[in-house]
Amino acid sequence: MLDKVRDLQQQIEQYTITSPEQLEQFRMRFISRKGVITELFEQLKLVPPTDRRAVGQELNALKNAAQTRFEQFSQLVDEQQTVAGNAPPLDLTLPTLPNLTGTQHPLSLVRQRIIQIFERIGFNVADGPEIESDWYNFGALNFPDNHPARDMQDTFFIEKAADGGTDMLLRTHTSNVQIRLMERQSPPIRSIMPGRVYRNETISARAHCLFHQVEGIYIDRNVGFKDLKDTLYHFVKELFEPGTQIRFRPSYFPFTEPSAEIDISCQICGGKGCNICKYSGWVEIAGSGMVDPQVIANCGIDPEEYTGFAFGMGIERITQLKYVVNDLRLYTENDVRFLRQFEGL
Ligand code: PHE
């Protein structure tokens, strides 16, 4: 028995390995539960009791030696593999993974561009509440109670007034900010007011219950319709493709007189006719007009001394024309495949 142990000891000392397969062979022969050392341990009971202790010690030493040797060999094989490139590939020459950054929302891009254009011609930016009273959204803007003009805008009412009070609602346009500005500030007033507005519409590709507007107002002495036209011509020239045509079409709003809607030649088909412009070659982008003297008076400004114009447009509509987005729902669904298309703009 002792001879056997010594023989194995020698074998282990002399063993060399150069591959993972040989490492496995070593493990099977000396370490595994079916290996020679385990077998010797089983034979220990056959050794006469007087020798058993000594042989047992030798066997234990053999077992430890095999284990140590196995660990040395494993390390060696690991190192060899790394050097040979068999380990998981680590290619330091590969380009780094791109660092994905967020993109600006298309509506933010267009809003900023609109603000930039108007700021350069002397308009500042004003803000106001989205939860508004009936007076600021309708009353002050010449929408008489129960007047059909209120049906032009389907309203979310959120609180019915107690007797004598005023209803609360979600603003249907940003014109409420015009009223609040005129109340607070004396002319000259030259501001635009971007913001979110709400209308009680069923959500579809062409309508949404929330969208964004930019309205503008200019009140001063001697402001005329020519100023309105000049300002909006300039705006269209700056924002849209060169050669875009613009036309003013008579219209009606309770708070402006005269009123006009502004059409531009369709950006999609260049005026030839397509489904976006309903084959007319023109698309409407804004409402506008001279502020009704009554509205100016409602805000405590003398309409004999001051006149002004106002306009309002939908940011979604303009974004649709600039970037050919045909479904309004895309703006609010946060689909990164849609949003990533605006990377770097
Ligand atoms: N407030 C109008 C709307 O939301 C737009 C508008 C603003 C029209 C200013 C004329 C003047 O439809």
Side-chain angles (χ1 to χ4, degrees), residues 5-277:
V5 174
R6 300 235 163 86
D7 182 38
L8 285 176
Q9 228 151 19
Q10 250 185 6
Q11 280 186 29
I12 289 173
E13 273 162 33
Q14 282 161 11
Y15 214 99
T16 54
I17 64 156
T18 52
S19 67
E21 291 76 26
Q22 287 173 346
L23 178 69
E24 179 60 7
Q25 280 164 11
F26 181 90
R27 193 187 68 80
M28 294 288 279
R29 184 160 159 69
F30 298 107
I31 310 275
S32 83
R33 304 175 89 237
K34 292 187 186 131
V36 284
I37 298 180
T38 319
E39 200 181 311
L40 285 181
F41 269 109
E42 275 159 19
Q43 291 170 11
L44 198 56
K45 53 182 177 289
L46 307 175
V47 174
T50 43
D51 296 344
R52 210 176 277 164
R53 194 179 150 87
V55 176
Q57 277 174 352
E58 291 282 332
L59 252 183
N60 267 327
L62 179 69
K63 187 182 160 196
N64 289 340
Q67 186 62 37
T68 315
R69 204 83 176 111
F70 177 72
E71 278 159 20
Q72 285 169 354
F73 286 148
S74 316
Q75 205 176 352
L76 199 76
V77 166
D78 268 359
E79 280 165 15
Q80 275 176 351
Q81 277 202 316
T82 314
V83 173
N86 294 332
L90 178 66
D91 182 352
L92 295 177
T93 63
L94 284 174
T96 52
L97 288 174
N99 189 7
L100 288 180
T101 51
T103 57
Q104 288 225 74
H105 194 282
L107 296 177
S108 305
L109 283 168
V110 171
R111 186 191 57 216
Q112 271 164 22
R113 180 77 189 111
I114 295 173
I115 291 175
Q116 195 180 48
I117 294 170
F118 281 106
E119 272 183 345
R120 284 191 185 153
I121 53 171
F123 284 77
N124 60 17
V125 176
D127 199 8
E130 291 177 19
I131 298 174
E132 191 51 289
S133 68
D134 185 284
W135 169 252
Y136 285 105
N137 194 80
F138 289 128
L141 287 151
N142 258 1
F143 288 80
D145 283 348
N146 304 320
H147 191 279
R150 288 180 185 229
D151 295 341
M152 286 165 76
Q153 304 179 350
D154 295 304
T155 310
F156 283 115
F157 287 95
I158 53 180
E159 208 176 282
K160 202 84 192 126
D163 274 353
T166 167
D167 294 343
M168 294 303 287
L169 45 83
L170 295 180
R171 69 177 177 193
T172 58
H173 48 189
T174 49
S175 308
N176 64 327
V177 189
Q178 302 186 8
I179 301 298
R180 288 178 174 275
L181 259 187
M182 285 194 284
E183 269 183 356
R184 267 206 320 264
Q185 213 176 297
S186 42
I189 296 169
R190 192 155 40 177
S191 299
I192 55 169
M193 42 253 13
R196 183 180 285 178
V197 302
Y198 303 83
R199 292 190 195 176
N200 193 354
E201 307 245 14
T202 309
I203 296 172
S204 71
R206 306 177 59 89
H208 209 292
C209 60
L210 70 89
F211 57 100
H212 300 77
Q213 285 189 330
V214 179
E215 295 208 0
I217 188 164
Y218 178 25
I219 305 278
D220 202 353
R221 293 193 180 92
N222 302 319
V223 177
F225 201 82
K226 179 182 183 304
D227 301 299
L228 168 64
K229 283 182 94 171
D230 279 349
T231 305
L232 289 169
Y233 274 134
H234 171 77
F235 168 71
V236 168
K237 223 173 68 195
E238 289 288 300
L239 187 66
F240 291 105
E241 297 298 312
T244 300
Q245 304 284 306
I246 178 169
R247 76 178 183 191
F248 280 68
R249 192 163 32 80
S251 184
Y252 168 78
F253 297 102
F255 38 91
T256 48
E257 182 58 38
S259 305
E261 264 164 337
I262 296 146
D263 297 342
I264 60 168
S265 50
C266 180
Q267 302 289 294
I268 315 291
C269 62
K272 287 191 210 68
C274 67
N275 61 344
I276 301 290
C277 60

